[in-house]
């Protein structure tokens, strides 16, 4: 009986020791998280995306003069695996057209001004252009036409014929001619031929 009690006592001591170690480990993790939260806040406060946000605002201003826009990096201090929240917004981005423009512009910034990638092209489908007004679509393609010169990068877009034609009156004749030359494939009809 004495041996059984001693064994029980040793298990309790071991359990209490384990609990203390677990609490110490938990406290170290909380302290590390606080330190990382401070570092994340300091980094976000250094405005690391200032240049990208400025480019974003200029491109939005080109398409939609007068609309507020921006890119904000905020530390995420929640209990999750996300360190930062990236907010990319344009005033009125609840509109399908403005929201599509937000995506198109952000993609452009990633390809042309991003880091740690070797992407040499960006591709946008007609679904993104379908709700953008012809004037804004024309401004975008006019910008793309001039901005890609001598970059070695490529912009690929698929546009429905009516979306392409609707923006033509808003383009200079020289840009119209250049864009028409750049059409690689025209699909017509429903047959595989």
């Amino acid at each position: 009986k004495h041996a059984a009690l001693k064994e029980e006592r040793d298990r309790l001591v071991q359990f209490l020791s384990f609990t203390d170690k677990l609490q110490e480990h938990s406290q170290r993790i909380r302290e590390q998280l606080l330190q990382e939260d401070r570092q994340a806040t300091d980094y976000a406060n250094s405005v690391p995306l200032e240049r990208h946000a400025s480019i974003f605002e200029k491109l939005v201003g080109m398409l939609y003069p007068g609309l507020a826009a921006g890119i904000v990096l905020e530390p995420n201090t929640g209990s999750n695996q996300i360190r930062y929240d990236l907010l990319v917004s344009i005033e009125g981005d609840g509109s399908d057209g403005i929201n599509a423009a937000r995506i198109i512009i952000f993609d452009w910034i990633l390809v042309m001004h991003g880091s740690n990638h070797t992407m040499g092209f960006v591709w946008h489908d007609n679904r993104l252009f379908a709700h953008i007004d012809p004037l804004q679509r024309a401004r975008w393609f006019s910008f793309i036409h001039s901005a890609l010169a001598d970059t070695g990068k490529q912009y690929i877009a698929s546009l429905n014929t009516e979306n392409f034609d609707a923006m033509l009156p808003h383009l200079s004749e020289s840009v119209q001619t250049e864009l028409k030359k750049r059409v690689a494939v025209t699909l017509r009809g429903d047959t595989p031929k």
Side-chain angles (χ1 to χ4, degrees), residues 40-41 43-50 53 70-76 83-88:
T41 299
Y43 180 72
N45 287 340
S46 74
V47 195
L49 299 178
E50 183 174 23
I71 298 176
V72 177
L73 184 71
E74 294 180 340
N76 181 324
R83 175 48 62 200
Y84 297 99
D85 292 324
L86 182 64
L87 309 169
V88 180

Side-chain angles (χ1 to χ4, degrees), residues 2-21:
H2 177 30
L5 289 174
K6 186 176 186 246
E7 187 180 319
E8 181 69 22
R9 181 192 64 139
D10 289 346
R11 274 191 296 212
L12 285 172
V13 167
Q14 188 178 10
F15 176 76
L16 292 174
S17 174
F18 176 75
T19 302
D20 288 344
K21 287 178 184 176

Side-chain angles (χ1 to χ4, degrees), residues 34-89:
L34 281 173
Q35 181 182 354
E36 289 178 6
D37 285 347
R38 275 189 226 102
Q39 289 172 339
T41 299
D42 290 344
Y43 180 72
N45 287 340
S46 74
V47 195
L49 299 178
E50 183 174 23
R51 178 173 155 258
H52 299 88
S54 175
I55 295 166
F56 184 77
E57 290 170 19
K58 286 177 186 170
L59 291 175
V60 169
M62 172 193 68
L63 295 182
Y64 300 101
L67 288 187
I71 298 176
V72 177
L73 184 71
E74 294 180 340
N76 181 324
T77 58
S79 295
N80 55 55
Q81 295 182 10
I82 300 171
R83 175 48 62 200
Y84 297 99
D85 292 324
L86 182 64
L87 309 169
V88 180
S89 61

Side-chain angles (χ1 to χ4, degrees), residues 136-180:
Q136 281 72 30
R137 197 178 319 121
R139 287 177 180 166
W140 180 251
F141 278 93
S142 184
F143 163 74
I144 292 297
H145 170 70
S146 64
L148 281 176
D150 302 321
T151 65
K153 299 206 179 205
Q154 185 177 24
Y155 187 80
I156 304 165
S158 61
L159 285 175
N160 287 349
T161 305
E162 60 270 12
N163 287 337
F164 184 80
D165 292 343
M167 73 177 179
L168 293 177
H170 302 287
L171 296 168
S172 69
E173 284 193 35
S174 63
V175 173
Q176 283 184 36
T177 302
E178 283 300 313
L179 288 179
K180 287 177 182 178

